[in-house]
Amino acid sequence: MVVESEPCSAQPSSSPPIAAPAVAVEVLRARAYLSRVAEPPAAALGVFVAQVGPVEAAERVRRGAVPDAVRAATGARRTVDRIDADLDAAAALGARLLAPEHPGWPHWAFAAFDNAGVRELAAPLALWVRGPASLLEVSERAVAVVGARAATGYGVHVAGDLAAGLAAAEYTVVSGAAFGIDAAAHRGALAARRPTVAVMACGVDRAYPAAHSELLARIAATGLVVSEYPPGAVPARHRFLVRNRLLAGIGAGTLVVEAGVRSGAQRTAADARALGRVVMAVPGPVTSGLSAGCHELLRHGATLVTRPEEVLEAVGRLGIDLAVDRPRPTRATDHLDKAQAAVHDALPTRAARDPRWLAMEAGLPLDVVRAGLIDLERLGLAEYRDGLWQRATPRR
Amino acid sequence: MVVESEPCSAQPSSSPPIAAPAVAVEVLRARAYLSRVAEPPAAALGVFVAQVGPVEAAERVRRGAVPDAVRAATGARRTVDRIDADLDAAAALGARLLAPEHPGWPHWAFAAFDNAGVRELAAPLALWVRGPASLLEVSERAVAVVGARAATGYGVHVAGDLAAGLAAAEYTVVSGAAFGIDAAAHRGALAARRPTVAVMACGVDRAYPAAHSELLARIAATGLVVSEYPPGAVPARHRFLVRNRLLAGIGAGTLVVEAGVRSGAQRTAADARALGRVVMAVPGPVTSGLSAGCHELLRHGATLVTRPEEVLEAVGRLGIDLAVDRPRPTRATDHLDKAQAAVHDALPTRAARDPRWLAMEAGLPLDVVRAGLIDLERLGLAEYRDGLWQRATPRR
């Protein structure tokens, strides 16, 4: 038996939501049960599901017929059956449950979790997603942009600019919808009219923080609001840290814009590094405590970025997405050779002098000075008058 | 025959100037002649002096009996004899000529010039120095602090703070006495009551910029004003670039505080790298063009520094001068184990709950929750009342 999840049309979206592709209903129901029965990251349960499959895993968890590690993680909630309630709550919101069995599951993003071999970085058992975008597609070229909630005006400005630049280059900005840097990053991407992804530490039916309910609605209208927590789940503190690994995993790189020396953003960066992702940080004033975390990351090997191009170079295709250095100011004297430059340097701007005086001043042979003066005159950099030379301003 | 150079007592110094140690007068006179006859960097002349010694080199340069490369570099000025005038001018100012034959010559600082094998980095043939400090002693633990003339208030503040911190750690701050970062660095060192060294692009008898004549006098009162140009030499533009290699050479590391993307400070950093010295840069706002040069250096391998301790770690003794990470804010919950933290996280701050509710919320077995609650109560992090638990604020 096969179902399509049916997003509710009440969804405030300009384009119609894309239904999650077909997956056997018993698999989807098993994943719904599993996503609630253990508190993420559920490493032991993940291993068990991989061994026996989601349907048998769910059935055996319910009965308590599981290895000890799985029992410890699922014992408290195994008798709770909210499968229908959760799927209905999601559908009512235009959200759906995305399972690893879906063709749209971003296996690439989560393969690194298994490779990292760190229990805290266990892959999610399923994801509740809200919005029309395909998580697989948007995570193909994605950067996590994270940072302090109590960001400065500088951080908010830079986060918005970088996110807009990344979005304009068709990269997906992934963040956590928090105050400060997160919100600025989402807004920058939205301003560039590109979908952005918010990964939540609570159910996708909750607006957290409440002041961001409109921002979350805008994100869900074209991009995705994502959570591994079932509908109704509250944003407990440890869930933010647990959630951060998903930001780090979905992004090809994690960019920290502003962060204190002990911050969630630094944790996300640590997760990104453990997952083999690129870690980038934006520098700021050394007098700002909110740049201190960034500077610490940079001192420990993160890539310093100041412009979207530099982010793209760090996360982009090897040898293709190279950032060109900033254009340099040029001067009329740039292409002079050594002797010409020395003669030009010796030329007075006001009083004119003869070649012999210039040779002494520049410490050069007289014939070299004479040749240099001819060159400089041709370039409009020296003026000859009554046997004497002085500096000239080049014609534009 | 042997002389002591006699610094003039008109020198505005609190401590008496230290005379340069004894060197044969004919050597000193030869070096005085050589220091004026070629425009630095005088690589070919340096090689010739190393081959035949300064006295014979001077005599043969005067006659024109030299290899072609030396003739090209000395031909224009070889008949100029200002030896007595230059030595007298220096003495009148309380300055002296320091030659490689002096025991106080900082061979370590300039040995790297020969090793670099770059003609532009030729070692100086002699140095005119003004002030009581020993160049050898002050350059044993020295850092070049350089940056933009048109520095921002941020850059000036940070340069002064870093310089004061380095000086307090008994490092010598070496800079170029220019407006902006240079002046802030010298002032920071002076504020910490430590000698500082200014390396000039003109004669040590000239105050350049003129507005810094008082600053230069303060530097010369306890530290050193240094130049490879003879008295009276004017600060021609190329001399600043040529001078920069001496800053880079005297410092064990070069610290760039603020710099544009095409700047003298970046050139000094390039010289420092070529000389095998540590290159450091201070980050700043990515929105500031005066930090763009620093960020470019950092993206190309310079060490990011934000505090004097980090500079000392970079230039200091291996494994000894380690910068300790900034102290981290601590929380009462820092030492909780995973289960304790999960229980604490689940505890409501207002309404109290029973252990069964908490087990469900935390996704933990009931016995684990009960044990955790006992631990938390002992730590003052949980409160028990009428069979129910809630979060408590720890006693200080």
Side-chain angles (χ1 to χ4, degrees), chain A residues 10 29 55 82 86 119-120 126 128 135 149-150 201-202 214 236 304 319 383:
Chain A
R29 292 179 59 86
V55 176
R82 289 191 39 90
D86 287 346
R119 291 177 63 87
E120 286 70 27
W128 301 86
L135 184 57
R149 287 190 298 276
C202 57
E214 194 180 319
L304 186 147
E383 257 174 34

Side-chain angles (χ1 to χ4, degrees), chain B:
Chain B
M1 185 181 162
V2 158
V3 292
E4 300 267 325
S5 67
E6 283 290 318
C8 167
S9 60
Q11 169 77 358
S13 165
S14 51
S15 54
I18 298 161
V23 164
V25 73
E26 59 271 27
V27 169
L28 208 65
R29 293 180 56 85
R31 290 280 178 186
Y33 170 78
L34 293 167
S35 94
R36 182 177 280 280
V37 77
E39 184 68 24
L45 180 57
V47 170
F48 185 59
V49 171
Q51 284 166 352
V52 303
V55 177
E56 183 180 337
E59 188 268 329
R60 286 179 53 183
V61 166
R62 218 177 257 116
R63 282 194 288 124
V66 289
D68 287 351
V70 177
R71 189 177 305 113
T74 57
R77 301 183 191 154
R78 69 186 171 91
T79 58
V80 178
D81 183 351
R82 289 191 40 89
I83 299 174
D84 290 317
D86 287 346
L87 289 170
D88 288 352
L93 193 79
R96 59 201 182 276
L97 182 65
L98 189 66
E101 290 77 12
H102 278 115
W105 182 259
H107 286 281
W108 174 84
F110 301 124
F113 288 71
D114 298 327
N115 299 337
V118 182
R119 290 177 64 86
E120 287 70 28
L121 294 178
L125 292 165
L127 290 171
W128 301 87
V129 300
R130 181 181 156 208
S134 152
L135 184 58
L136 180 62
E137 281 173 26
V138 293
S139 65
E140 264 166 17
R141 288 158 62 94
V143 175
V145 180
V146 297
R149 288 188 299 276
T152 69
Y154 165 70
V156 167
H157 169 79
V158 173
D161 265 14
L162 288 173
L166 292 172
E170 306 200 341
Y171 266 78
T172 306
V173 171
V174 184
S175 193
F179 287 120
I181 300 301
D182 285 17
H186 288 302
R187 291 197 174 106
L190 290 170
R193 302 184 175 282
R194 291 284 306 171
T196 175
V197 175
V199 184
M200 309 298 285
C202 58
V204 295
D205 57 330
R206 286 184 172 253
Y208 186 86
H212 282 175
S213 60
E214 194 179 319
L215 175 63
L216 285 163
R218 287 180 63 207
I219 294 169
T222 56
L224 281 177
V225 175
V226 176
S227 179
E228 64 182 321
Y229 298 100
V234 296
R237 197 177 74 201
H238 80 278
R239 287 183 178 154
F240 288 95
L241 296 179
V242 169
R243 176 274 316 264
N244 288 351
R245 80 192 197 291
L246 302 184
L247 294 170
I250 296 172
T254 289
L255 169 57
V256 183
V257 178
E258 271 194 326
V261 287
R262 180 183 170 152
S263 56
Q266 279 192 320
R267 282 285 300 262
T268 310
D271 287 352
R273 187 170 291 131
L275 293 170
R277 303 287 195 262
V278 178
V279 176
M280 297 158 283
V282 175
V286 298
T287 45
S288 164
L290 282 166
S291 285
C294 291
H295 295 151
E296 202 166 84
L297 287 170
L298 291 169
R299 282 177 53 81
H300 290 91
T303 299
L304 186 148
V305 294
T306 68
R307 298 176 293 149
E309 292 86 341
E310 292 167 357
V311 179
L312 296 176
E313 181 182 272
V315 300
R317 291 157 297 174
L318 218 61
I320 296 174
D321 296 319
L322 292 174
V324 204
D325 276 344
R326 283 169 194 279
R328 276 157 165 59
T330 56
R331 300 192 186 98
T333 51
D334 278 351
H335 301 294
L336 300 183
D337 67 24
K338 264 202 147 99
Q340 291 166 345
V343 175
H344 183 262
D345 219 40
L347 275 174
T349 43
R350 278 175 290 241
R353 298 290 190 167
D354 67 15
R356 198 167 302 272
W357 185 94
L358 292 167
M360 184 80 80
E361 183 64 19
L364 288 174
L366 192 56
D367 55 334
V368 172
V369 170
R370 287 208 168 102
L373 286 167
I374 305 299
D375 296 339
L376 293 173
E377 190 184 28
R378 186 174 42 77
L379 293 165
L381 291 165
E383 257 173 35
Y384 180 73
R385 203 179 299 163
D386 306 327
L388 302 178
W389 293 84
Q390 70 176 39
R391 205 177 287 193
T393 310
R395 294 171 292 274
R396 289 269 160 191

